[in-house]
Amino acid sequence: MIVASAGNVLVWIVWVGAGFACLASAAAVVSFSNPFYSALALIGNLGSLAVLYLLLSAEFVAAAQVLVYAGAVMVMFLFVIAYVGPRMETPWAGGPSWQSVGAVLAAASIFLEIIVAVSLKAGGRLAHSDHVNATFGTPGWIGRLFLTDHLLAFEITSIVLLIAAVGGVVLGSHARRAA
Amino acid sequence: MISGAWLCLFAPLAGTLLILLAGNRIPRVAAGWISTASVFVAFAGAIWSFFGLRAQSDRSGYLSTAWTWLQSGSFKVGLTVLVDPLSTMMMLVVAGVGGLIVLYSIGYMDGDDEERRYFAYMSLFVFSMLMLVEGGNLLLLLVGWGLVGLSSYLLIGFWHERPSAVAAAKKAFVMNAIGDATMALSFFVIIAHSSSLEFGTSFDLAGSLSPTAINLVALGLLGGAVAKSAQIPLQTWLPDAMEGPTPVSALIHAATMVTAGVYLIARTHTIFEHARTVELAAAGLGALTLVVAGLIALVQTDIKRVIAYSTMSQIGYMFLGVGVGAYANGMFHLMTHAFFKALLFLAAGVLIHALGGEQDIRRMRGIGALMPLTRWAFLAGALALVGIPPFSGFFSKDSIIAAALHDHWYGALLAIAGLVGAFLTGLYTFRLYFLVFPGEPSAFVREHLHLHHGKEGPPTMLLPVGILALLAVFGGFLQFSPVWHPLTNWLDPVARTLTAAEPTNRQEAISSVIAVALGLGGIGLAWALYGRGERAVPHVAALQRILEHKFYFDEAYDALFYKPAAQLATWLRRDFEEPVVLATGTDLGEGALELGEGVRRLQTGLLRTYVLFLGTGLAIVGVIFLAIR
Amino acid sequence: MAGPGIAWYLGIAAFLFGTGALGVLVRRNPIIVLLSLEIMLNGGNLALIAFARHAGNGAGQIFALTVMAVAASEVCVGLGLVVAIHRRRLTLDVDELSELRG
């Protein structure tokens, strides 16, 4: 399964680096007590994910990831964190003791189950990926798909965004003059 | 004839139901008249059956089944009445004497708050006793047996506010239950061999059973008879049963229920004849009882207890009679005894009623001067009891002693016991008479005596006493064996007297003379000791103590049976029921609570917990799907 | 395809998902819970992109873009809630906010 050749080596190195960064930053998000640091770690996670997307021939998605997620969403997070102020909180405290233990167990078991499921198939159908042409993942290709095969998804997404925007404004506004 | 039998059986039951249903709506006295009427209707039915049977040429017995009462596989029992010489004789005695006693009760129980309940119970009792004697198969006999035990319990404990009455009722019922159990066991043996409890098949079976089996059956029946008739060793309940009202003592514990044992032996005599040893044992127990009871009666100071021990003793005679095989003589004595014993009890009841409930004979001295009718009636009953001719007891008792005499050395022993008993009977009976009736009225009597409108008692009480007095005097003329014996002939198809128990005329004459002489001797001794108003109880210290404690039977049973049972019950309660049974209940409850507590801790109220449950569920579902694949 | 097979990418996606789940279950600050939720969504996205590449089907990437849009909307609303809660002077603790009362 591991096929290493000259061109491959670069891909492998990039993959290992990005993968490691992804995993580490995910762990960091969950572990920091300062929310600001968690948000920064998430930015790092999103960035490494974008690299992984590039490796998977999804250029447009990578770009959108950086622009939308890391750019807009994370900025929003940081603004709110700044507004709310510093709130330090120790991760494992609070709640009954079995909550923490149960949480670790549940998360670990879900992780392991996915691994098991995947590895059961790994030798079979997952072994050989299809060969894709050069237009795979390009913006034009994506755009064509959005406007032909997946038009419904496109339109509904726009409505969802609209509703979210309205909701955000309502929630954030000083609706009642009194109080 | 058959209809008469059905009428006889169900009339008292109808009376009971009527009184129960009417409840408070009828006046108390009306309940008494309903009950009396129902029993007299039963008597009419008995007469009808009697004459109907007399008109038949074949008198071996007629069965009439109303419907199949019980059916289980091949075992079938019908609601059957039997009309035969023995059952009609008993029907007449029970319904006749019973009717007179219920009539008497109207006067005696007048003013009691719970009169209606009393009369309902009395009718129930008469119905039960009739069921016992008319039952066409052994199972119905057992039903009647149990019901008379129940009625006895209800009536002994009638005045239930008295702890002594309640205790006495319990004692009577428990001792009767022992007899019921032994009888049931013998019925099981019969069913095991023949799948039927009909009289005919059971008696035919008697010949083919192994000796062990037939002896077991006979012993079981004897156990029941001994318990119901208060013979040794199950006799301790009868004196205590005097806690009930006097008419109850007269009816149940003198005239009818306690004689059921004698009837049983006469009815199942075929079985007993095949188990001759048991039959002779019955005679022996009867002889023993009659002597022991006579001795104990010598020291009693309660008028009803004296008469109760006298009953015990006379039933001993009856057992003696049927035990040696003289069934007709035993039944004849049953009949005459019903007359004069009921008479004695009712006369005593007139005294007790006039004195406002007093029963101690030491206080009643001289009452005869103020109550002459009662005095003469009592005297008639007493003479009949002792067996002085021409009173009825003479004809019936002496024939039993003569019958015993005929039967080898054992019979001679029994006869001697019977003669000793005759002496004792004279002694204790006339001790009672001389202490109570003659002489100057005592201060107590003068103070407490209250007559009923100038008469000794209301007419409803005096009339039955009078009728019974006539029967006690003249009833004996029914039979004077071996010269004139219509009763023996009457019972012959059903209960033929054994040839071993047929005395010769000479034996009859000798035993009669000796018995009468001894009876007169007893009367004389009584006059010597008590006639002049001396002390009531003889002064022989050690003997007196034994007699007063009734030969320590009660103490022995208490130590042998009651105390171990009570100890066992206490031990079980302390070491088993409380720690194990009750604790299990408590532990289950506490366990459920703890489980609830544990589950409660899962409800943290935190959103995170519920998401955790979600995640855990997802993980488990994932495992399931992976496993199934 | 050059580099590791799809299975490795799926492994990373699984880890992301698990870590995100752990964060949701353990952390009490709602902002960090939202961050953990983002991680989970990203894990899902990675799996989608990987399968899109494996099957040569563009639907996976489309789906991933849609998820991204929805995630952005959801974060927007969620943070709006956080701001509203903060304005009401309530503690920003998921455990304390269990009664849904003002």
Side-chain angles (χ1 to χ4, degrees), chain A residues 94 96 98-99 102-103 109-110 113 117, chain B residues 601 604 608-609 612 619 622-623 626:
Chain A
W98 50 268
Q99 171 85 21
S109 50
I110 291 175
E113 279 167 32
Chain B
R601 271 190 251 117
T604 56
R608 293 193 289 143
T609 315
L612 172 61
V623 168
L626 279 176

Side-chain angles (χ1 to χ4, degrees), chain A residues 14 48 58 60 62 72 82 91 94 113:
Chain A
V14 170
S48 54
F60 181 72
E113 279 167 32

Side-chain angles (χ1 to χ4, degrees), chain B residues 110-130:
Chain B
D110 184 35
D112 192 298
D113 281 330
E114 302 192 36
E115 230 178 294
R116 298 181 193 94
R117 186 164 65 95
Y118 173 85
F119 283 109
Y121 288 161
M122 286 296 256
S123 285
L124 177 67
F125 170 77
V126 176
F127 163 71
S128 317
M129 191 70 204
L130 287 169

Side-chain angles (χ1 to χ4, degrees), chain A residues 1 8 15 23 30 32 42 46 49 53 57-58 69 84 89 91 93 99 125 128 130 141-142 157 164 172 174, chain C residues 2-3 8-9 15 25-29 35 38 42 45 52-55 58 61 66 68-69 71 73 86-87 92:
Chain A
M1 198 170 104
N8 247 345
W15 186 89
L23 300 177
V30 178
F32 281 132
L42 187 60
L46 294 171
L49 270 176
Y53 290 163
S57 312
Y69 244 126
V84 164
E89 167 233 324
Q99 171 85 21
R125 286 182 294 160
H128 301 287
D130 277 2
W141 180 79
I142 296 279
T157 308
H174 293 280
Chain C
W8 292 94
Y9 290 94
F15 184 85
L25 292 172
V26 167
R27 301 302 298 252
R28 288 195 321 266
N29 192 334
L35 288 173
E38 289 307 306
N42 276 301
N45 266 356
R53 173 66 182 84
H54 172 74
Q61 297 192 1
T66 314
M68 235 182 272
S73 332
H86 177 76
R87 281 233 195 92
L92 276 179

Side-chain angles (χ1 to χ4, degrees), chain B residues 95-112:
Chain B
V97 175
L100 290 171
I101 295 177
V102 179
L103 177 63
Y104 175 94
S105 306
I106 297 179
Y108 190 85
M109 298 299 287
D110 184 35
D112 192 298

Side-chain angles (χ1 to χ4, degrees), chain B residues 178-179 181-183 185-186 211-226 264 271-272 275 277-279 281-282 285:
Chain B
I178 299 175
T182 55
M183 269 178 77
L185 286 174
S186 62
T212 340
I214 195 74
N215 276 318
L216 275 176
V217 171
L219 269 176
L221 293 172
L222 180 63
V226 161
L264 179 69
I271 295 178
F272 277 99
T277 329
V278 180
E279 200 174 22
L285 282 177

Side-chain angles (χ1 to χ4, degrees), chain B residues 563-584:
Chain B
K563 284 209 168 59
Q567 205 42 349
L568 183 67
T570 311
W571 173 76
L572 276 176
R573 181 176 57 80
R574 201 183 54 225
D575 294 330
F576 182 69
E577 178 161 350
E578 273 171 20
V580 177
V581 176
L582 291 178
T584 309

Side-chain angles (χ1 to χ4, degrees), chain A residues 38-113:
Chain A
S38 293
L40 291 180
L42 187 60
I43 294 177
N45 191 47
L46 294 171
S48 54
L49 270 176
V51 172
L52 288 174
Y53 290 163
L54 283 174
L55 286 175
L56 285 170
S57 312
E59 295 102 21
F60 181 72
V61 179
Q65 171 96 336
V66 173
L67 281 172
V68 171
Y69 244 126
V73 172
M74 290 319 298
V75 167
M76 197 161 48
F77 260 110
L78 288 169
F79 261 116
V80 171
I81 289 171
Y83 175 73
V84 164
R87 254 148 235 283
M88 307 302 231
E89 167 233 324
T90 42
W92 298 99
S97 55
W98 50 268
Q99 171 85 21
S100 316
V101 172
V104 172
L105 281 174
S109 50
I110 291 175
F111 170 63
L112 281 171
E113 279 167 32

